[in-house]
Amino acid sequence: MPFVQSPVQRPGRLIVVCGLPGSGKTTLARALEGRLLESKLRAIRFSPDDWLDALSINLYREDVRGKMEALQWKLAQDLLALGLTVIIEWGTWARSERDTLRLGARALGAAVELHYLAAPVDVLFDRLQRRGRENPPIERDALAQWAETFQAPTIEEMALFDEPLVSDLSQSD
């Protein structure tokens, strides 16, 4: 039987898109996915909202969302180990969440990018009202409270991530 040399496998890449609801995570993640495809690099995007919608499950079911994200992370790790690019758009509000993703991907030899999207609460609220996706709608007070608890990435944290393959694209909701 002849020896068949396997192709050199490139390391995987995890792209984490981080921000509050209405910040443009899905818009940016889709744009990055498209830009990577144009560059002959394929990416798989994981969005719990998309999966919840596909299964007709309310976006507010935090118990299901947590299970969905755990399943997506398991699949993401399998794909990263195969050398593929994965885009995660979970919001990742806490530094500990971003650390878990970064360290888990690095343990597989993958590069890791972080794209942070920020906007004032009034802008976020306006975007959420216009898109009208949430049922019941997100209230401004809840959004303001979330903005207070959100742990925005610091310069020091951003330095722990790799340079993006493609630069952030301008996005609009």
Side-chain angles (χ1 to χ4, degrees):
M1 182 183 247
F3 175 74
V4 178
Q5 186 174 1
S6 62
V8 176
Q9 183 176 333
R10 68 176 180 87
R13 178 170 287 263
L14 176 64
I15 301 172
V16 179
V17 182
C18 162
L20 286 167
S23 63
K25 292 182 303 297
T26 299
T27 301
L28 177 60
R30 286 180 178 155
L32 289 169
E33 185 179 35
R35 180 69 62 87
L36 290 168
L37 182 59
E38 290 169 8
S39 303
K40 307 287 189 250
L41 299 171
R42 293 203 163 88
I44 295 143
R45 184 176 56 85
F46 286 116
S47 165
D49 288 0
D50 288 351
W51 286 26
L52 291 166
D53 281 346
L55 296 170
S56 299
I57 298 172
N58 187 300
L59 297 177
Y60 287 111
R61 291 283 311 271
E62 291 300 321
D63 59 326
V64 177
R65 179 178 293 275
K67 291 176 184 175
M68 187 84 56
E69 288 179 0
L71 176 60
Q72 288 181 351
W73 179 230
K74 181 183 180 335
L75 292 171
Q77 290 176 87
D78 291 345
L79 296 167
L80 291 168
L82 292 171
L84 299 173
T85 298
V86 174
I87 301 169
I88 288 184
E89 54 163 298
W90 297 347
T92 56
W93 292 11
R95 161 107 189 234
S96 62
E97 294 174 283
R98 297 186 296 269
D99 286 345
T100 297
L101 294 174
R102 180 177 44 80
L103 295 172
R106 290 253 200 262
L108 297 168
V112 188
E113 299 177 18
L114 178 61
H115 297 258
Y116 168 51
L117 300 170
V121 170
D122 290 335
V123 171
L124 297 173
F125 186 70
D126 181 58
R127 289 177 180 173
L128 292 170
Q129 296 303 299
R130 282 189 283 126
R131 83 177 179 193
R133 180 176 190 181
E134 292 78 14
N135 185 17
I138 294 174
E139 295 180 10
R140 191 188 183 297
D141 289 345
L143 188 58
Q145 189 174 33
W146 296 342
E148 291 294 320
T149 61
F150 185 88
Q151 296 175 346
T154 62
I155 293 170
E156 294 79 17
E157 181 185 358
M158 293 298 291
L160 299 172
F161 290 86
D162 295 295
E163 289 295 319
L165 280 179
V166 296
S167 60
D168 277 349
L169 309 166
S170 61
Q171 71 278 351
S172 60
D173 275 0

PDB file of all heavy atoms in Angstrom, residues 91-114:
ATOM      1  N   GLY A  91     -22.206  37.320  22.503  1.00  0.00           N
ATOM      2  CA  GLY A  91     -22.243  38.487  23.377  1.00  0.00           C
ATOM      3  C   GLY A  91     -21.045  38.504  24.307  1.00  0.00           C
ATOM      4  O   GLY A  91     -20.384  39.507  24.445  1.00  0.00           O
ATOM      5  N   THR A  92     -20.765  37.353  24.923  1.00  0.00           N
ATOM      6  CA  THR A  92     -19.640  37.192  25.873  1.00  0.00           C
ATOM      7  C   THR A  92     -19.458  38.442  26.733  1.00  0.00           C
ATOM      8  O   THR A  92     -18.467  39.153  26.620  1.00  0.00           O
ATOM      9  CB  THR A  92     -18.336  36.807  25.150  1.00  0.00           C
ATOM     10  OG1 THR A  92     -18.035  37.766  24.149  1.00  0.00           O
ATOM     11  CG2 THR A  92     -18.433  35.428  24.539  1.00  0.00           C
ATOM     12  N   TRP A  93     -20.413  38.697  27.594  1.00  0.00           N
ATOM     13  CA  TRP A  93     -20.444  39.896  28.422  1.00  0.00           C
ATOM     14  C   TRP A  93     -19.372  39.924  29.500  1.00  0.00           C
ATOM     15  O   TRP A  93     -18.971  41.001  29.942  1.00  0.00           O
ATOM     16  CB  TRP A  93     -21.794  40.018  29.113  1.00  0.00           C
ATOM     17  CG  TRP A  93     -22.941  40.294  28.198  1.00  0.00           C
ATOM     18  CD1 TRP A  93     -22.965  40.251  26.826  1.00  0.00           C
ATOM     19  CD2 TRP A  93     -24.246  40.665  28.596  1.00  0.00           C
ATOM     20  NE1 TRP A  93     -24.212  40.563  26.364  1.00  0.00           N
ATOM     21  CE2 TRP A  93     -25.027  40.822  27.430  1.00  0.00           C
ATOM     22  CE3 TRP A  93     -24.845  40.878  29.839  1.00  0.00           C
ATOM     23  CZ2 TRP A  93     -26.363  41.178  27.467  1.00  0.00           C
ATOM     24  CZ3 TRP A  93     -26.183  41.230  29.867  1.00  0.00           C
ATOM     25  CH2 TRP A  93     -26.929  41.384  28.684  1.00  0.00           C
ATOM     26  N   ALA A  94     -18.909  38.763  29.935  1.00  0.00           N
ATOM     27  CA  ALA A  94     -17.941  38.708  31.036  1.00  0.00           C
ATOM     28  C   ALA A  94     -16.560  38.328  30.515  1.00  0.00           C
ATOM     29  O   ALA A  94     -16.426  37.507  29.601  1.00  0.00           O
ATOM     30  CB  ALA A  94     -18.388  37.691  32.088  1.00  0.00           C
ATOM     31  N   ARG A  95     -15.558  38.914  31.119  1.00  0.00           N
ATOM     32  CA  ARG A  95     -14.181  38.578  30.743  1.00  0.00           C
ATOM     33  C   ARG A  95     -13.933  37.085  30.915  1.00  0.00           C
ATOM     34  O   ARG A  95     -13.242  36.469  30.107  1.00  0.00           O
ATOM     35  CB  ARG A  95     -13.220  39.410  31.612  1.00  0.00           C
ATOM     36  CG  ARG A  95     -11.803  38.864  31.674  1.00  0.00           C
ATOM     37  CD  ARG A  95     -10.845  39.671  30.884  1.00  0.00           C
ATOM     38  NE  ARG A  95      -9.547  39.036  30.768  1.00  0.00           N
ATOM     39  CZ  ARG A  95      -8.410  39.608  31.087  1.00  0.00           C
ATOM     40  NH1 ARG A  95      -8.394  40.825  31.579  1.00  0.00           N
ATOM     41  NH2 ARG A  95      -7.275  38.978  30.900  1.00  0.00           N
ATOM     42  N   SER A  96     -14.496  36.496  31.967  1.00  0.00           N
ATOM     43  CA  SER A  96     -14.280  35.068  32.207  1.00  0.00           C
ATOM     44  C   SER A  96     -14.786  34.215  31.034  1.00  0.00           C
ATOM     45  O   SER A  96     -14.159  33.207  30.696  1.00  0.00           O
ATOM     46  CB  SER A  96     -14.944  34.628  33.517  1.00  0.00           C
ATOM     47  OG  SER A  96     -16.341  34.829  33.451  1.00  0.00           O
ATOM     48  N   GLU A  97     -15.884  34.627  30.408  1.00  0.00           N
ATOM     49  CA  GLU A  97     -16.383  33.906  29.225  1.00  0.00           C
ATOM     50  C   GLU A  97     -15.383  33.999  28.077  1.00  0.00           C
ATOM     51  O   GLU A  97     -15.108  33.009  27.398  1.00  0.00           O
ATOM     52  CB  GLU A  97     -17.716  34.485  28.766  1.00  0.00           C
ATOM     53  CG  GLU A  97     -18.878  34.309  29.705  1.00  0.00           C
ATOM     54  CD  GLU A  97     -20.097  35.047  29.207  1.00  0.00           C
ATOM     55  OE1 GLU A  97     -20.151  36.285  29.347  1.00  0.00           O
ATOM     56  OE2 GLU A  97     -20.995  34.386  28.639  1.00  0.00           O
ATOM     57  N   ARG A  98     -14.881  35.189  27.860  1.00  0.00           N
ATOM     58  CA  ARG A  98     -13.919  35.389  26.762  1.00  0.00           C
ATOM     59  C   ARG A  98     -12.613  34.640  27.057  1.00  0.00           C
ATOM     60  O   ARG A  98     -12.003  34.058  26.150  1.00  0.00           O
ATOM     61  CB  ARG A  98     -13.670  36.880  26.548  1.00  0.00           C
ATOM     62  CG  ARG A  98     -14.951  37.622  26.121  1.00  0.00           C
ATOM     63  CD  ARG A  98     -14.711  39.063  25.769  1.00  0.00           C
ATOM     64  NE  ARG A  98     -14.256  39.898  26.878  1.00  0.00           N
ATOM     65  CZ  ARG A  98     -15.050  40.579  27.699  1.00  0.00           C
ATOM     66  NH1 ARG A  98     -16.366  40.533  27.564  1.00  0.00           N
ATOM     67  NH2 ARG A  98     -14.535  41.336  28.653  1.00  0.00           N
ATOM     68  N   ASP A  99     -12.193  34.626  28.328  1.00  0.00           N
ATOM     69  CA  ASP A  99     -10.990  33.880  28.709  1.00  0.00           C
ATOM     70  C   ASP A  99     -11.173  32.387  28.443  1.00  0.00           C
ATOM     71  O   ASP A  99     -10.264  31.729  27.929  1.00  0.00           O
ATOM     72  CB  ASP A  99     -10.660  34.094  30.188  1.00  0.00           C
ATOM     73  CG  ASP A  99     -10.075  35.458  30.489  1.00  0.00           C
ATOM     74  OD1 ASP A  99      -9.641  36.168  29.557  1.00  0.00           O
ATOM     75  OD2 ASP A  99     -10.060  35.834  31.691  1.00  0.00           O
ATOM     76  N   THR A 100     -12.333  31.846  28.797  1.00  0.00           N
ATOM     77  CA  THR A 100     -12.603  30.423  28.579  1.00  0.00           C
ATOM     78  C   THR A 100     -12.502  30.077  27.097  1.00  0.00           C
ATOM     79  O   THR A 100     -11.874  29.073  26.722  1.00  0.00           O
ATOM     80  CB  THR A 100     -13.998  30.047  29.123  1.00  0.00           C
ATOM     81  OG1 THR A 100     -14.003  30.252  30.541  1.00  0.00           O
ATOM     82  CG2 THR A 100     -14.352  28.607  28.814  1.00  0.00           C
ATOM     83  N   LEU A 101     -13.106  30.901  26.245  1.00  0.00           N
ATOM     84  CA  LEU A 101     -13.044  30.652  24.806  1.00  0.00           C
ATOM     85  C   LEU A 101     -11.616  30.777  24.285  1.00  0.00           C
ATOM     86  O   LEU A 101     -11.136  29.922  23.525  1.00  0.00           O
ATOM     87  CB  LEU A 101     -13.966  31.624  24.064  1.00  0.00           C
ATOM     88  CG  LEU A 101     -15.461  31.479  24.324  1.00  0.00           C
ATOM     89  CD1 LEU A 101     -16.237  32.592  23.632  1.00  0.00           C
ATOM     90  CD2 LEU A 101     -15.966  30.112  23.890  1.00  0.00           C
ATOM     91  N   ARG A 102     -10.923  31.846  24.693  1.00  0.00           N
ATOM     92  CA  ARG A 102      -9.554  32.083  24.219  1.00  0.00           C
ATOM     93  C   ARG A 102      -8.635  30.944  24.633  1.00  0.00           C
ATOM     94  O   ARG A 102      -7.907  30.376  23.803  1.00  0.00           O
ATOM     95  CB  ARG A 102      -9.026  33.422  24.759  1.00  0.00           C
ATOM     96  CG  ARG A 102      -7.601  33.751  24.328  1.00  0.00           C
ATOM     97  CD  ARG A 102      -7.151  35.116  24.829  1.00  0.00           C
ATOM     98  NE  ARG A 102      -7.485  35.399  26.213  1.00  0.00           N
ATOM     99  CZ  ARG A 102      -6.798  34.946  27.275  1.00  0.00           C
ATOM    100  NH1 ARG A 102      -5.737  34.193  27.104  1.00  0.00           N
ATOM    101  NH2 ARG A 102      -7.173  35.278  28.491  1.00  0.00           N
ATOM    102  N   LEU A 103      -8.668  30.583  25.907  1.00  0.00           N
ATOM    103  CA  LEU A 103      -7.774  29.532  26.407  1.00  0.00           C
ATOM    104  C   LEU A 103      -8.116  28.168  25.824  1.00  0.00           C
ATOM    105  O   LEU A 103      -7.224  27.375  25.508  1.00  0.00           O
ATOM    106  CB  LEU A 103      -7.802  29.509  27.932  1.00  0.00           C
ATOM    107  CG  LEU A 103      -7.238  30.768  28.612  1.00  0.00           C
ATOM    108  CD1 LEU A 103      -7.500  30.733  30.108  1.00  0.00           C
ATOM    109  CD2 LEU A 103      -5.762  30.945  28.303  1.00  0.00           C
ATOM    110  N   GLY A 104      -9.416  27.895  25.659  1.00  0.00           N
ATOM    111  CA  GLY A 104      -9.830  26.626  25.060  1.00  0.00           C
ATOM    112  C   GLY A 104      -9.373  26.503  23.620  1.00  0.00           C
ATOM    113  O   GLY A 104      -8.898  25.445  23.192  1.00  0.00           O
ATOM    114  N   ALA A 105      -9.498  27.579  22.861  1.00  0.00           N
ATOM    115  CA  ALA A 105      -9.060  27.566  21.464  1.00  0.00           C
ATOM    116  C   ALA A 105      -7.539  27.470  21.375  1.00  0.00           C
ATOM    117  O   ALA A 105      -6.999  26.731  20.550  1.00  0.00           O
ATOM    118  CB  ALA A 105      -9.566  28.809  20.737  1.00  0.00           C
ATOM    119  N   ARG A 106      -6.844  28.202  22.230  1.00  0.00           N
ATOM    120  CA  ARG A 106      -5.370  28.159  22.222  1.00  0.00           C
ATOM    121  C   ARG A 106      -4.862  26.752  22.558  1.00  0.00           C
ATOM    122  O   ARG A 106      -3.852  26.308  22.012  1.00  0.00           O
ATOM    123  CB  ARG A 106      -4.813  29.156  23.224  1.00  0.00           C
ATOM    124  CG  ARG A 106      -5.008  30.590  22.835  1.00  0.00           C
ATOM    125  CD  ARG A 106      -3.701  31.210  22.385  1.00  0.00           C
ATOM    126  NE  ARG A 106      -3.801  32.646  22.459  1.00  0.00           N
ATOM    127  CZ  ARG A 106      -4.068  33.411  21.420  1.00  0.00           C
ATOM    128  NH1 ARG A 106      -4.268  32.887  20.239  1.00  0.00           N
ATOM    129  NH2 ARG A 106      -4.149  34.716  21.558  1.00  0.00           N
ATOM    130  N   ALA A 107      -5.564  26.054  23.464  1.00  0.00           N
ATOM    131  CA  ALA A 107      -5.168  24.690  23.822  1.00  0.00           C
ATOM    132  C   ALA A 107      -5.233  23.758  22.610  1.00  0.00           C
ATOM    133  O   ALA A 107      -4.541  22.738  22.571  1.00  0.00           O
ATOM    134  CB  ALA A 107      -6.051  24.162  24.954  1.00  0.00           C
ATOM    135  N   LEU A 108      -6.042  24.121  21.631  1.00  0.00           N
ATOM    136  CA  LEU A 108      -6.152  23.342  20.396  1.00  0.00           C
ATOM    137  C   LEU A 108      -5.193  23.837  19.317  1.00  0.00           C
ATOM    138  O   LEU A 108      -5.200  23.348  18.202  1.00  0.00           O
ATOM    139  CB  LEU A 108      -7.590  23.422  19.869  1.00  0.00           C
ATOM    140  CG  LEU A 108      -8.652  22.825  20.792  1.00  0.00           C
ATOM    141  CD1 LEU A 108     -10.044  23.218  20.324  1.00  0.00           C
ATOM    142  CD2 LEU A 108      -8.495  21.316  20.869  1.00  0.00           C
ATOM    143  N   GLY A 109      -4.379  24.852  19.645  1.00  0.00           N
ATOM    144  CA  GLY A 109      -3.430  25.413  18.694  1.00  0.00           C
ATOM    145  C   GLY A 109      -4.028  26.463  17.777  1.00  0.00           C
ATOM    146  O   GLY A 109      -3.411  26.846  16.781  1.00  0.00           O
ATOM    147  N   ALA A 110      -5.235  26.935  18.099  1.00  0.00           N
ATOM    148  CA  ALA A 110      -5.916  27.899  17.240  1.00  0.00           C
ATOM    149  C   ALA A 110      -5.550  29.331  17.606  1.00  0.00           C
ATOM    150  O   ALA A 110      -5.276  29.642  18.767  1.00  0.00           O
ATOM    151  CB  ALA A 110      -7.436  27.719  17.363  1.00  0.00           C
ATOM    152  N   ALA A 111      -5.561  30.186  16.615  1.00  0.00           N
ATOM    153  CA  ALA A 111      -5.453  31.627  16.845  1.00  0.00           C
ATOM    154  C   ALA A 111      -6.821  32.107  17.323  1.00  0.00           C
ATOM    155  O   ALA A 111      -7.839  31.468  17.061  1.00  0.00           O
ATOM    156  CB  ALA A 111      -5.064  32.337  15.544  1.00  0.00           C
ATOM    157  N   VAL A 112      -6.836  33.235  18.029  1.00  0.00           N
ATOM    158  CA  VAL A 112      -8.104  33.748  18.562  1.00  0.00           C
ATOM    159  C   VAL A 112      -8.158  35.259  18.379  1.00  0.00           C
ATOM    160  O   VAL A 112      -7.249  35.976  18.791  1.00  0.00           O
ATOM    161  CB  VAL A 112      -8.281  33.408  20.060  1.00  0.00           C
ATOM    162  CG1 VAL A 112      -9.691  33.788  20.525  1.00  0.00           C
ATOM    163  CG2 VAL A 112      -8.015  31.938  20.338  1.00  0.00           C
ATOM    164  N   GLU A 113      -9.244  35.719  17.765  1.00  0.00           N
ATOM    165  CA  GLU A 113      -9.502  37.151  17.574  1.00  0.00           C
ATOM    166  C   GLU A 113     -10.660  37.567  18.472  1.00  0.00           C
ATOM    167  O   GLU A 113     -11.556  36.774  18.731  1.00  0.00           O
ATOM    168  CB  GLU A 113      -9.962  37.448  16.141  1.00  0.00           C
ATOM    169  CG  GLU A 113      -9.020  37.103  15.065  1.00  0.00           C
ATOM    170  CD  GLU A 113      -9.621  37.391  13.681  1.00  0.00           C
ATOM    171  OE1 GLU A 113     -10.614  38.153  13.562  1.00  0.00           O
ATOM    172  OE2 GLU A 113      -9.078  36.843  12.713  1.00  0.00           O
ATOM    173  N   LEU A 114     -10.653  38.835  18.866  1.00  0.00           N
ATOM    174  CA  LEU A 114     -11.786  39.411  19.590  1.00  0.00           C
ATOM    175  C   LEU A 114     -12.202  40.689  18.887  1.00  0.00           C
ATOM    176  O   LEU A 114     -11.374  41.574  18.648  1.00  0.00           O
ATOM    177  CB  LEU A 114     -11.422  39.718  21.046  1.00  0.00           C
ATOM    178  CG  LEU A 114     -12.527  40.369  21.884  1.00  0.00           C
ATOM    179  CD1 LEU A 114     -13.762  39.490  21.998  1.00  0.00           C
ATOM    180  CD2 LEU A 114     -11.991  40.723  23.269  1.00  0.00           C
TER     181      LEU A 114
END
